[in-house]
């Protein structure tokens, strides 16, 4: 029943852009009310066949009234060169190199492959090379199952519906993030040039404040470890530090190269230090107190820097660029000095839009890992194989991503569960949940409700709430089944 009402809601969302085009507030109110009614009706006793007939009839009526909706075609991967390389900057040695053309035949370590799709790519000889890190069931698996209440991973990530829908932004919401170790505060940034901070618990959910000051779209932001400061970057070429309590701007830091800024990160062990990535290909380490860069804390990559990620120790930094490469750097935590270490080409010419690092996933998958979004219709999971950030491809998951800056995330609670989950947005307007320990049928859930590409997703600290944002400026807060008590 729950799956059916989600399909009905997704159908409504698909046609929502066509309803009252001059009154977006009504469209948002309509979707909220439909969600409420469908959630209530899902609890009532009703013949499943009748509900399916309703879904079919409603689809016909909407198609008859509005016509078939047309969205940008995400497309499929055509004959492109998909390559993964890891090259030592210091020695120039290529310790790992692979190039396979999708749809043709190339050489790989003197062996010939013929692959017609990404699926074949990872089920052939490469699978034996890159799936060398296998998940081995242990006695801890049963302990994990017991601590998770004996539920399967798909049951753990079942959702009871929408907690709230925010529509305070007038343009695409590029990023959404919950505060650290906080169940109820979430912030988001938008290409309308503003950021917003929202309070979700106790109900009703409200917008606490709007942060205004950037002169162009805000591309990324991050909470400080203590949640008292937010750092944001923008197309206007500035980084801004915001006082969360006062809702005011503390400092404006100009980019020395006068280029657009796309991403930012606080240093995990020293929040007085942060890093930005620019449209000129610069990775810059900055001092929050002085607003100046560190000596030796700047490096240049091959294209626009779209995303950044630190490991837990703060000693390794990865940067993803517009040309399909990930660069790893070693970072001196005391001096802020950057040293370029590795270059890993995920897919030549396809932008890398998101990087997330995790020291270990769960008891049965303890490898340090990197989760990567790249515009090749796949979410990639890499294993971190050296102290300087070298990567080895472990597996991929199918999503729709060809042009949008889609982001993904590891689910925060993974220590005592059987299985391990990651979440990602997608251009097909869905939120995907994947179990990284499964060899097949890894998608354990899919949320339907957005009417535009989902750009970012984020759980709160106890996974009771999930936030997702889209290219039309909508932010949906979802609530987990079995977690309603805290709401």
């Amino acid at each position: 029943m729950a799956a059916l009402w989600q399909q009905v809601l997704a159908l409504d969302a698909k046609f929502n852009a066509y309803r009252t085009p001059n009154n977006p507030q009504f469209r948002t109110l309509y979707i909220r009310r439909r969600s409420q009614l469908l959630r209530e009706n899902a609890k009532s006793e009703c013949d499943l066949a009748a509900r399916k007939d309703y879904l079919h009839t409603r689809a016909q009526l909407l198609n008859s009234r509005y016509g078939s909706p047309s969205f940008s075609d995400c497309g499929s991967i055509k004959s492109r060169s998909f390559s993964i390389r890891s090259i030592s900057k210091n020695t120039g040695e290529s310790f790992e190199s692979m190039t396979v053309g999708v749809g043709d035949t190339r050489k790989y370590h003197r062996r010939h492959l013929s692959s017609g799709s990404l699926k074949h790519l990872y089920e052939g000889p490469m699978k034996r090379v890159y799936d060398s890190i296998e998940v081995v069931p242990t006695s801890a698996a049963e302990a994990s199952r017991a601590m998770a209440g004996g539920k399967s991973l798909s049951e753990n990530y079942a959702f009871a519906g929408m907690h709230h829908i925010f529509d305070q932004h007038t343009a695409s919401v590029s990023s959404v993030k919950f505060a650290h170790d906080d169940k109820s505060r979430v912030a988001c940034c938008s290409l309308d040039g503003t950021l917003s901070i929202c309070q979700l618990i106790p109900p009703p959910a409200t917008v606490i404040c709007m942060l205004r000051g950037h002169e162009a779209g805000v591309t990324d932001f991050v909470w400080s470890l203590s949640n008292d400061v937010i750092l944001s970057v923008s197309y206007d070429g500035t980084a801004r530090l915001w006082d969360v309590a006062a809702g005011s701007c503390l400092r404006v830091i100009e980019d020395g190269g006068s280029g657009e800024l796309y991403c930012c990160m606080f240093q995990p062990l020293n929040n007085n230090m942060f890093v930005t990535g620019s449209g000129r290909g610069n990775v810059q380490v900055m001092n929050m107190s002085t607003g100046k860069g560190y000596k030796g804390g700047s490096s240049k990559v091959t294209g626009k820097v779209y995303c950044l990620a630190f490991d837990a120790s703060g000693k390794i930094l990865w940067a993803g660029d517009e040309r399909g490469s990930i660069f790893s750097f070693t970072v001196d935590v005391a001096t802020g000095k950057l040293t370029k270490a590795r270059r890993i080409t995920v897919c030549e010419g396809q932008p890398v839009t998101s990087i997330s690092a995790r020291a270990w996933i769960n008891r049965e998958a303890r490898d340090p890992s990197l989760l990567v979004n790249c515009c090749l219709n796949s979410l990639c999971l890499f294993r971190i194989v050296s102290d300087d950030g070298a990567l080895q491809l472990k597996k991929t998951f199918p999503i729709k991503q060809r042009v949008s800056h889609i982001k993904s995330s590891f689910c925060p609670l993974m220590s005592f569960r059987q299985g391990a989950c990651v979440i990602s947005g997608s251009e097909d307007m869905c939120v995907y949940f994947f179990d990284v320990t499964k060899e097949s049928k890894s998608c354990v859930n899919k949320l339907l409700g957005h009417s535009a590409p989902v750009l970012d997703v984020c759980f709160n600290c106890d996974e009771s709430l999930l936030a997702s944002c889209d290219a039309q400026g909508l932010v949906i807060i979802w609530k987990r089944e079995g977690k309603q008590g805290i709401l």
Side-chain angles (χ1 to χ4, degrees):
M1 291 297 185
L4 199 58
W5 76 251
Q6 280 201 30
Q7 292 177 43
V8 175
L9 185 63
L11 183 66
D12 284 331
K14 182 185 293 186
F15 288 91
N16 204 36
Y18 295 84
R19 294 186 184 95
T20 59
N22 298 322
N23 191 351
Q25 290 81 10
F26 174 81
R27 295 202 302 266
T28 302
L29 183 63
Y30 178 87
I31 285 294
R32 285 179 181 171
R33 182 57 179 158
R34 286 290 289 165
S35 174
Q36 180 186 6
L37 291 173
L38 288 166
R39 194 163 60 246
E40 291 173 355
N41 290 333
K43 300 174 185 176
S44 62
E45 301 254 346
C46 186
D47 181 37
L48 184 60
R51 290 178 184 261
K52 289 183 177 179
D53 287 341
Y54 169 78
L55 177 61
H56 178 69
T57 304
R58 184 161 180 79
Q60 289 182 322
L61 288 171
L62 289 172
N63 272 295
S64 174
R65 180 175 177 81
Y66 299 111
S68 180
S70 60
F71 299 100
S72 57
D73 182 16
C74 296
S76 58
I77 297 183
K78 299 180 181 178
S79 297
R80 295 182 180 270
S81 173
F82 182 92
S83 60
I84 298 169
R85 305 182 187 92
S86 190
I87 303 171
S88 169
K89 177 68 177 178
N90 298 328
T91 64
E93 177 189 3
S94 176
F95 78 94
E96 177 185 302
S97 181
M98 177 274 291
T99 301
V100 177
V102 178
D104 62 8
T105 304
R106 303 286 179 91
K107 291 183 179 180
Y108 174 63
H109 285 213
R110 298 183 181 178
R111 301 179 64 177
H112 293 271
L113 305 177
S114 178
S115 60
S117 67
L118 276 179
K119 181 179 179 182
H120 296 145
L121 186 65
Y122 294 105
E123 289 181 352
M126 280 177 55
K127 180 177 177 62
R128 294 192 291 274
V129 176
Y130 288 106
D131 278 358
S132 57
I133 314 302
E134 295 183 358
V135 177
V136 180
T138 66
S139 58
E142 292 305 317
S144 297
R145 179 184 288 274
M147 297 186 78
K151 294 182 179 180
S152 67
L153 200 67
S154 57
E155 288 173 323
N156 271 306
Y157 289 104
F159 283 77
M162 296 178 182
H163 176 65
H164 195 77
I165 299 175
F166 289 103
D167 61 349
Q168 65 271 19
H169 293 288
T170 58
S172 172
V173 174
S174 49
S175 186
V176 60
K177 293 182 177 72
F178 279 92
H180 298 292
D181 298 320
D182 193 321
K183 298 178 183 179
S184 63
R185 275 189 303 170
V186 66
C188 48
C189 65
S190 170
L191 298 188
D192 65 9
T194 66
L195 299 95
S196 57
I197 303 174
C198 308
Q199 186 79 32
L200 307 178
I201 304 171
T206 56
V207 178
I208 302 172
C209 67
M210 300 290 294
L211 305 179
R212 307 179 190 275
H214 282 292
E215 297 176 0
V218 183
T219 50
D220 195 18
F221 78 98
V222 64
W223 293 84
S224 67
L225 195 59
S226 58
N227 296 327
D228 58 342
V229 173
I230 282 179
L231 166 69
S232 64
V233 291
S234 167
Y235 287 141
D236 65 11
T238 66
R240 288 176 180 257
L241 294 162
W242 305 88
D243 184 325
V244 173
S248 59
C249 184
L250 295 170
R251 184 185 295 276
V252 180
I253 301 168
E254 301 279 347
D255 176 53
S258 301
E260 299 171 334
L261 294 179
Y262 287 92
C263 51
C264 58
M265 284 290 293
F266 277 114
Q267 216 283 348
L269 301 183
N270 178 8
N271 272 194
N272 195 46
M273 184 185 293
F274 67 88
V275 186
T276 60
S278 80
R280 295 179 178 268
N282 292 322
V283 179
Q284 177 69 58
V285 184
M286 306 288 292
N287 185 294
M288 188 175 80
S289 299
T290 64
K292 297 180 180 179
Y294 285 89
K295 184 178 181 180
S298 180
S299 186
K300 194 171 181 65
V301 301
T302 55
K304 297 177 181 179
V305 183
Y306 282 156
C307 51
L308 297 164
F310 273 104
D311 73 333
S313 70
K315 295 180 180 179
I316 306 176
L317 173 70
W318 292 273
D321 74 2
E322 66 171 335
R323 298 188 179 180
S325 295
I326 298 175
F327 293 82
S328 70
F329 303 85
T330 57
V331 184
D332 188 315
V333 180
T335 65
K337 183 180 179 181
L338 280 181
T339 303
K340 191 181 291 184
R342 301 270 180 171
R343 177 183 177 181
I344 304 96
T345 301
V346 181
C347 186
E348 191 71 40
Q350 299 302 316
V352 176
T353 61
S354 174
I355 304 175
S356 301
R358 179 59 64 92
W360 62 288
I361 300 179
N362 74 349
R363 290 186 178 198
E364 290 79 52
R366 293 175 179 258
D367 306 316
S369 301
L370 209 67
L371 189 64
V372 176
N373 283 93
C374 186
C375 291
L376 46 78
N377 282 340
S378 286
L379 175 66
C380 303
L381 183 69
F382 289 88
R383 181 193 175 210
I384 303 167
V385 296
S386 72
D387 291 338
D388 61 358
L391 304 175
Q392 184 182 67
L393 182 66
K394 189 171 179 181
K395 61 176 63 178
T396 64
F397 309 96
I399 62 169
K400 293 293 183 183
Q401 183 184 4
R402 294 301 292 170
V403 295
S404 301
H405 285 212
I406 305 293
K407 297 179 182 179
S408 59
S409 174
F410 290 96
C411 293
L413 299 181
M414 297 186 181
S415 302
F416 304 112
R417 298 238 183 107
Q418 187 178 46
C421 205
V422 297
I423 49 175
S424 178
S426 177
E427 287 180 356
D428 62 2
M429 300 171 283
C430 299
V431 177
Y432 285 92
F433 295 71
F434 296 104
D435 183 352
V436 301
T437 65
K438 294 181 69 174
E439 292 300 324
S440 62
K441 297 181 179 179
S442 55
C443 183
V444 297
N445 198 3
K446 180 170 73 171
L447 298 182
L448 312 169
H450 286 278
S451 55
V454 181
L455 302 182
D456 197 8
V457 286
C458 181
F459 264 118
N460 66 351
C461 63
D462 68 350
E463 294 187 356
S464 59
L465 297 173
L466 171 72
S468 57
C469 60
D470 68 30
Q472 286 186 348
L474 214 63
V475 178
I476 298 179
I477 308 298
W478 309 82
K479 59 181 179 181
R480 275 259 309 277
E481 285 186 358
K483 292 287 186 179
Q484 294 92 325
I486 69 164
L487 300 179

